[in-house]
Amino acid sequence: MTPSLVSLLAQLDNAKSRLDAKLPLPRYTASSLREKLNLDWIYHSNALAGNSHTLRETKVVLEGIAVGGKKIAEPLDILCHRNAIHYIENRVAQNIPLTAQTLEDLHHILQTFDHKTRTKTPAAEKIRDLLAQRDTLCDTLPVVHPLIRAAHWHALFIRQSPFPGDNGRLARLLLNYDLLLAGYPAAIIFCTEKPQYIAALKQAATSCDALAILIANATLRTLHTMLALLGPSDPALSSSSSSQSAKP
């Protein structure tokens, strides 16, 4: 790992410790945070995949109001993504690890708003083989930090792209499934970071450091958002904010 990545992981774990010290959150506070972060997650992940809804329009769609002048599939993508996040939250609450069935379920939820008919998916053996590759890869990593493992899995899934069409939204859901299971908040990669994201995914064929830095910055940004909303200004936030732009 590069020194900047090592430093970033230390900042990440420090911020996580500060957040953990504030848990459990009051129900209303937790609900408000969840609503804000899920909106950001849905908007940015869909925008990375080409959805034309703005953040405000995404919020309107989630409230059940149609936005004129959009392709019919775009609001459905937003609603399906919300359903997929709810599915993940339920599984994480029960501490259920990722399985082939979970992966197929998430793909189905993203593709089918009414959840009644399943779209065609790869053979079960292919999905099981992909998860076996994931386990083998993670077992060989010299660093066992959850974010590093999640970054390598994200790169592997994007490289394999087992489903027809865009696999990016599902890949980012799976990335955050791992992070949430490990006790971290979601890594919300901003749509404005798309060039850096694409470049990091290309570099991941030889080194995942750039991708891990991007994901770590995204996770740290979420942590800082949560901490800032939970109480008085935290001096540690401003002192570490300049480090969030660390480069590999």
Side-chain angles (χ1 to χ4, degrees), residues 154-207:
H154 187 63
L156 174 64
F157 189 87
I158 290 288
R159 191 161 55 246
Q160 296 278 357
S161 291
F163 296 99
D166 173 63
N167 283 257
R169 294 191 309 150
L170 177 56
R172 289 184 287 278
L173 285 164
L174 295 173
L175 164 69
N176 285 326
Y177 194 123
D178 274 5
L179 291 177
L180 291 169
L181 271 178
Y184 293 84
I188 302 172
I189 300 170
F190 282 8
C191 55
T192 53
E193 297 170 321
K194 188 171 184 176
Q196 300 96 305
Y197 180 42
I198 292 174
L201 286 170
K202 290 179 179 178
Q203 292 178 37
T206 54
S207 170

Side-chain angles (χ1 to χ4, degrees), residues 9-23:
L9 292 177
Q11 294 174 52
L12 182 69
D13 289 339
N14 180 269
K16 179 180 178 296
S17 295
R18 298 202 305 276
L19 179 63
D20 289 344
K22 297 177 180 289
L23 301 178

Side-chain angles (χ1 to χ4, degrees), residues 4 48 52 65 77 83 96 103 107 119 144 181 214 223-224:
S4 58
L48 284 169
S52 67
I65 304 171
D77 284 344
N83 294 343
I96 299 174
L103 199 157
H107 169 71
T119 55
V144 294
L181 271 178
L214 184 73
L223 280 164
H224 284 180

Side-chain angles (χ1 to χ4, degrees), residues 15 19-20 22-23 25 29-30 33-34 36-37 180 183-186 219-232 237:
L19 179 63
D20 289 344
K22 297 177 180 289
L23 301 178
L25 301 178
T29 302
L33 271 174
R34 175 176 175 266
K36 175 189 167 29
L37 294 175
L180 291 169
Y184 293 84
T219 311
L220 187 59
R221 181 168 54 213
T222 303
L223 280 164
H224 284 180
T225 297
M226 297 173 76
L227 287 166
L229 291 173
L230 287 176
L237 299 187

